[in-house]
Amino acid sequence: MGNSELTKLLQDVVLKNEKPARDVATEINKPYPTLLREINPEDKGAKVGIEELVPLMRSTGSIRPLTRLANIMGYVLVPMDINPGDPDEANYMALDLMDGFGRYSKALKSALQADPKEDLVNIVEQEGFEAITAILTMVHYLRKRAEEEKTKNAPRLAQVS
């Protein structure tokens, strides 16, 4: 992991977000110019503090920084708050899964066709973790859905016996 990888990720989360960066700065009680300096990977003098990470993720609605930190440490995050009754959620998860595998496959192909330099290996690793996260999320969703179906059908099974 490069020194500025997380800072660049935070910059992407703040600037490539539906919510304007000025609104994010207001929500986390930080002057807008200060926030822009702290998320700028080129600015070595100011950086987002760990105490500000959770408010920043809440404000932007993105857990990408937390996910990347977990991946760097060799872990994956799987959301626990999944609504099995929402078919749209399952569809979006399936699309994320396919998209994640596509990015992983593309990164792996690039790395295998070249000398595996550290930056390519890092990209393969990151995309691989995201694909694993998507798979585990979908499995968790399906298990919750199966449990709900079992619970819903349990009274009918008792009546039949």
Side-chain angles (χ1 to χ4, degrees):
M1 176 186 88
N3 291 342
S4 63
E5 179 189 351
L6 288 173
T7 304
K8 176 67 177 136
L9 177 63
L10 286 173
Q11 184 181 50
D12 287 347
V13 165
V14 172
L15 298 180
K16 297 176 182 175
N17 183 8
E18 291 180 16
K19 186 180 292 183
R22 284 188 189 279
D23 293 351
V24 172
T26 301
E27 284 183 20
I28 66 169
N29 298 316
K30 185 171 291 289
Y32 177 67
T34 303
L35 177 62
L36 292 184
R37 278 195 68 207
E38 289 180 349
I39 62 172
N40 181 351
E42 304 303 317
D43 188 331
K44 304 299 180 200
K47 292 293 161 236
V48 173
I50 191 70
E51 299 82 15
E52 298 162 320
L53 192 56
V54 171
L56 193 59
M57 289 188 296
R58 281 194 177 126
S59 178
T60 61
S62 175
I63 62 160
R64 287 177 55 211
L66 178 63
T67 300
R68 186 62 190 132
L69 284 170
N71 295 165
I72 289 166
M73 297 303 296
Y75 292 86
V76 294
L77 298 177
V78 178
M80 299 303 287
D81 187 22
I82 296 174
N83 180 2
D86 184 355
D88 287 339
E89 188 167 359
N91 291 337
Y92 287 123
M93 282 190 282
L95 290 172
D96 271 353
L97 179 63
M98 289 186 294
D99 188 45
F101 266 110
R103 288 191 317 270
Y104 172 72
S105 296
K106 184 178 177 182
L108 184 59
K109 181 179 177 183
S110 295
L112 291 173
Q113 290 176 340
D115 291 331
K117 298 198 174 11
E118 187 172 347
D119 61 331
L120 286 175
V121 174
N122 288 341
I123 291 169
V124 170
E125 176 189 51
Q126 186 171 349
E127 296 299 347
F129 273 122
E130 288 183 17
I132 290 168
T133 300
I135 292 168
L136 293 175
T137 300
M138 183 57 86
V139 168
H140 180 67
Y141 168 83
L142 292 172
R143 286 197 190 288
K144 282 188 85 169
R145 205 166 134 200
E147 287 171 16
E148 280 195 1
E149 281 298 312
K150 186 177 178 182
T151 303
K152 188 168 53 173
N153 292 330
R156 282 189 270 182
L157 292 175
Q159 290 173 355
V160 173
S161 307

